[in-house]
Amino acid sequence: MNHFKKRVKQNTNILQGKVIICTYPKTGQDELAEMLTAQGASVFSMPVIEISPLPFQLQTDLSDYDWLIFTSKNAVEPFTNRYPSISCKVAALGEKTAIHLRKYKVDPAFIGSGKSAVDFATQFIDVVQANENILLVLGNLAPDTLKQQLGSKASIDRINAYQTCSSEQLDPRFMEWVEHDRYDLLLVTSPSSVRAILEKVSKSADQLRFVSIGTTTTAAIRKYGGEPVATSEEPSYEGMAQTIIDYYQAKIKN
């Protein structure tokens, strides 16, 4: 947060008057909203998806695994609640997941760039030893990318520790503002958020002003025929905030 403030100190209020909708579930302190509000934006939390833990059963003892891989912070709490003592090595897709693991006294032995599962697999393939046992701790909507990418070198199991589903009830302002174009940016942090929005609104993806947290979410937007106004180079809330600042700076210059 402090690093972000230093970078954009000269841009105070560059977002003055902008209406920005955050569509991710709100859990505790919303650092992204705070960063954008500090730059003058009117930020509204209007979640379009819900995250909840799933019951799961390991195929073997936890101690039989050499590695646990977490690709989302959402998997950390349900897994560590059931297995508070983890003796095997742990890998995190990116720093955001790693930070959450440390909150539960789990220190990752490997942290990827956080950009995508494909990038993680490319970075991790030289770390894992042949025939090691790996447990993927994922969400129900996560594709089998890591199993496909790493399965030729290691033995892979998977459990789904949480589920993502569309929110049954949206903030009524969300529908009104989006349908009548009374917003400036829609912030999306997962493919499931993109899908949930398009299931609810009458507009198509190419009619919406998305800002995407990274390449995986951008790929989902493009799948539906849209193109985000901006994609964060760094898949984090700080990265998204800086991307939004840069986007409006470029508009001013043009």
Side-chain angles (χ1 to χ4, degrees):
M1 178 88 75
N2 291 335
H3 177 60
F4 172 84
K5 287 180 178 178
K6 289 178 182 178
R7 290 177 65 188
V8 302
K9 186 176 180 181
Q10 71 276 20
N11 301 323
T12 301
N13 292 328
I14 194 172
L15 303 181
Q16 189 69 44
K18 305 301 180 185
V19 174
I20 298 177
I21 300 175
C22 299
T23 65
Y24 48 83
K26 186 176 181 180
T27 55
Q29 183 181 10
D30 191 339
E31 292 186 357
L32 177 54
E34 291 177 1
M35 294 176 198
L36 299 176
T37 300
Q39 299 301 312
S42 296
V43 183
F44 299 89
S45 176
M46 299 182 180
V48 298
I49 58 172
E50 297 174 355
I51 306 292
S52 59
L54 282 174
F56 60 87
Q57 182 68 46
L58 297 187
Q59 299 178 24
T60 184
D61 291 338
L62 182 60
S63 59
D64 291 337
Y65 292 104
D66 300 290
W67 285 94
L68 302 183
I69 297 178
F70 291 83
T71 63
S72 169
K73 67 177 186 178
N74 296 319
V76 175
E77 183 174 358
F79 190 87
T80 54
N81 281 348
R82 183 161 182 179
Y83 295 97
S85 179
I86 298 174
S87 58
C88 53
K89 293 171 288 188
V90 173
L93 179 75
E95 187 59 37
K96 186 166 69 171
T97 303
I99 290 171
H100 212 65
L101 283 163
R102 295 187 191 107
K103 289 181 181 178
Y104 290 86
K105 311 300 181 185
V106 179
D107 191 20
F110 179 86
I111 303 172
S113 65
K115 292 187 175 181
S116 70
V118 172
D119 288 336
F120 177 88
T122 300
Q123 297 156 6
F124 188 68
I125 193 70
D126 292 330
V127 176
V128 66
Q129 300 297 308
N131 300 317
E132 282 193 310
N133 296 315
I134 298 176
L135 177 64
L136 306 177
V137 188
L138 308 176
N140 66 313
L141 299 181
D144 281 326
T145 304
L146 289 179
K147 189 169 187 177
Q148 294 165 359
Q149 297 283 328
L150 301 174
S152 61
K153 189 173 183 180
S155 176
I156 312 289
D157 288 334
R158 167 181 178 154
I159 54 115
N160 294 331
Y162 71 95
Q163 65 179 349
T164 303
C165 57
S166 298
S167 299
E168 291 187 7
Q169 291 187 330
L170 298 183
D171 187 316
R173 295 173 299 174
F174 179 85
M175 298 297 292
E176 179 183 350
W177 292 0
V178 173
E179 294 288 2
H180 295 92
D181 210 29
R182 295 172 183 165
Y183 74 99
D184 292 284
L185 297 175
L186 280 173
L187 309 191
V188 286
T189 58
S190 67
S192 52
S193 295
V194 176
R195 181 172 56 252
I197 291 169
L198 294 173
E199 287 175 350
K200 298 289 187 180
V201 302
S202 63
K203 292 192 173 185
S204 57
D206 62 338
Q207 296 174 305
L208 300 174
R209 292 183 293 278
F210 290 115
V211 173
S212 164
I213 196 170
T215 55
T216 301
T217 302
T218 292
I221 295 170
R222 289 172 177 162
K223 175 183 174 183
Y224 291 105
E227 183 66 29
V229 299
T231 298
S232 177
E233 292 186 11
E234 178 188 335
S236 66
Y237 287 162
E238 181 176 311
M240 287 193 84
Q242 188 61 52
T243 295
I244 293 166
I245 296 292
D246 293 343
Y247 169 71
Y248 280 110
Q249 274 189 316
K251 287 176 71 72
I252 291 172
K253 290 177 181 179
N254 295 333

